[in-house]
Amino acid sequence: MAQDACYISLLGLAEYFRTSNPPNIKKAIQCLQALFTFQPPTKVEARTHFQMGQMLMAYTKNIDLARNHLEKAWTLSENLVSFDDVSSTLSENGATSFGKAILRKAVELSVNNVYWHCRLLLQLSQIHATDKDYNAASELLSVGADSADECGATYLKVLFLLSRAMILMIERKTSDVLNLLNNAGSIIDNSIANSHQKEYLKVFFLVLQVCYYLALGQVKTVKPSLKQLQMSIQTIMAPNWPSDEVIFGQNPLEMFMWLPKEQLYVLVYLVTVSHSMMSGYMDKAQKYTEKALTQIENLKDTEYNPILSTFKIILLEHIVMCRLIMGNRELAITEIAIARDVCLALPNRSLLKRHSAQLHCLLGLYSMSITLFDSAEKQFLTCISEAAEGDLKLFAHLNLAIIYLRTKRETELKAILDGVSTENSASYNSQALMGAFYYVQGLNSFHKSSFHEAKNLKMANQEDLNRLTSCSLVLLSHVFLSIGNSKESMNMVTPAMQLASKIPDINVQLWGSAILKDLHRMSKDVNREKEAYANHVKYSENLIADQKKSVTMPQHTLINWLSGEPPMTGEQLVTIPHQPSTSGVIVHAAQQQQYLQNF
């Protein structure tokens, strides 16, 4: 009893020093170290080593000592039920080589305990996914699905199937993804008895289905799935819906969930923003972004989770592109700086590693929008060198092609267009990106005065890609104007301006108003010519005024960042508190944030 009192006193004292303001980590560790002098039981000793390892990881740079304590904790707790705490902490804190070895051994040891076996398979697959070893991650999730199936755990089986579909989506194995989604969807509809668990799985399934269609650029095809997803999340968020603990806390094989409902709510906003952006509805994208960011801030006030920062950075990436399309460069560069802050706020810089290429791409788009083509080129080239996935590289290449077109660098332009055509035209699946490629080809033909070739521009309205359609229409209008066909030019520019106004896209409006001015002059319609000219002046003055503001912003100097960590530019960095993870009752099976690359 006296020993127990000593343990409790020292642990309480350690926690007191850890939670002091500022934390006194040295004294906290000394208290934990003192506990070993009482030769505590194995479980207490293992737990103490584990706490010391966590504390050293969270508050110091002494990674080797932290790892040493975690290794001791693992060695002592191998035969204890709760050894998962140690392996998860190792994997989360970057000791992936050692963490993988531990988890592989743990998977073997747990083969007769389905709960631990599946939980550890999820953890190990997560590490492989983080390391971009998607084949290994996929194989482990397949093993998990088989294990769940063998013991009749249908809910858990579907969770593994959907997690595997997410990994295959990252790999662009579209036919395999479709087969898995169809299989999982059939099981959800016909074999899940618990209505609450069924709704959660349906949300997971629909998120993946929506992402699948968006990755293919099929914004019209995806609408029914997106509407169904929005209805499902409203059902889950209703006041009378049971808590996650009630739904998933009864059967050990059902203590797994993808994401808690509050985070799912943010995620549904996020995919809605992505859809609005691709459809060309910037006002809607802004509205849903603001709601999602408000929800994230509310969640941070209660309990911070790193995935919220991932959601926030992706939302900011979308909203920056909206601002640029609408001509708000001042807001765009401000929000790029906020995105930088979010990336720098996490202690291990994991977000910066994953989103550095995207930041460079956004800076390239910003530089391009204010005609700083040298800076834009450097940013896009940096993005291409850092980007891990094909979508972003192709997007950066196409913008680089427009820069080379504008600066009359025909050799570099031809190299990009030939490369994109060879690598992607036969195999790439995204209608949006390939539509953009055809647009750049048409733009190139127009600049070379190959007007009849430019008329062969492929349109984008089959999938309601409104912005791409408006750009294509205004280009075709200019082509017809150049060859003296004023009637066809007017037939093209009128819907282009209507779409551009709906988006709204100030650059298409600027271009279209110039064409309308010339068309009305040709038809000797003086009043309409004056109106078009006045609109052209208005759009031009708005862009010039906004550009003058943006280039004087301190954040504007970010365009000079090309390597290392992005510099601070005079604003206050907001830090995110680091909270070492603990194993709760419910396993959030897929804090697998890589699926978000599909945006």
Side-chain angles (χ1 to χ4, degrees), residues 134 294 405 516 562:
Y134 299 124
T294 300
L405 187 61
L516 281 170
L562 295 172

Side-chain angles (χ1 to χ4, degrees), residues 171-195:
E171 294 186 276
R172 296 292 179 192
K173 294 182 177 178
T174 50
S175 59
D176 293 339
V177 171
L178 202 55
N179 290 335
L180 266 180
L181 287 179
N182 288 337
N183 184 15
S186 176
I187 297 171
I188 293 169
D189 289 339
N190 302 310
S191 304
I192 302 296
N194 185 311
S195 60

Side-chain angles (χ1 to χ4, degrees), residues 14-68:
E15 185 62 10
Y16 167 78
F17 286 125
R18 189 189 73 81
T19 56
S20 298
N21 189 11
N24 192 331
I25 301 306
K26 184 177 180 180
K27 287 187 177 179
I29 289 174
Q30 285 173 344
C31 289
L32 293 175
Q33 189 73 45
L35 201 148
F36 296 131
T37 61
F38 295 96
Q39 297 180 329
T42 304
K43 187 172 183 178
V44 175
E45 186 180 355
R47 186 71 193 176
T48 305
H49 278 296
F50 174 64
Q51 286 178 289
M52 290 179 73
Q54 276 193 310
M55 207 176 291
L56 288 163
M57 281 282 194
Y59 297 102
T60 76
K61 295 180 180 179
N62 199 338
I63 303 301
D64 289 338
L65 184 57
R67 188 179 303 178
N68 183 260

Side-chain angles (χ1 to χ4, degrees), residues 126 213 241 293 497 569 591:
Q126 170 61 51
Y213 286 125
W241 188 263
L293 290 174
M497 289 295 280
T569 50
Q591 295 290 345

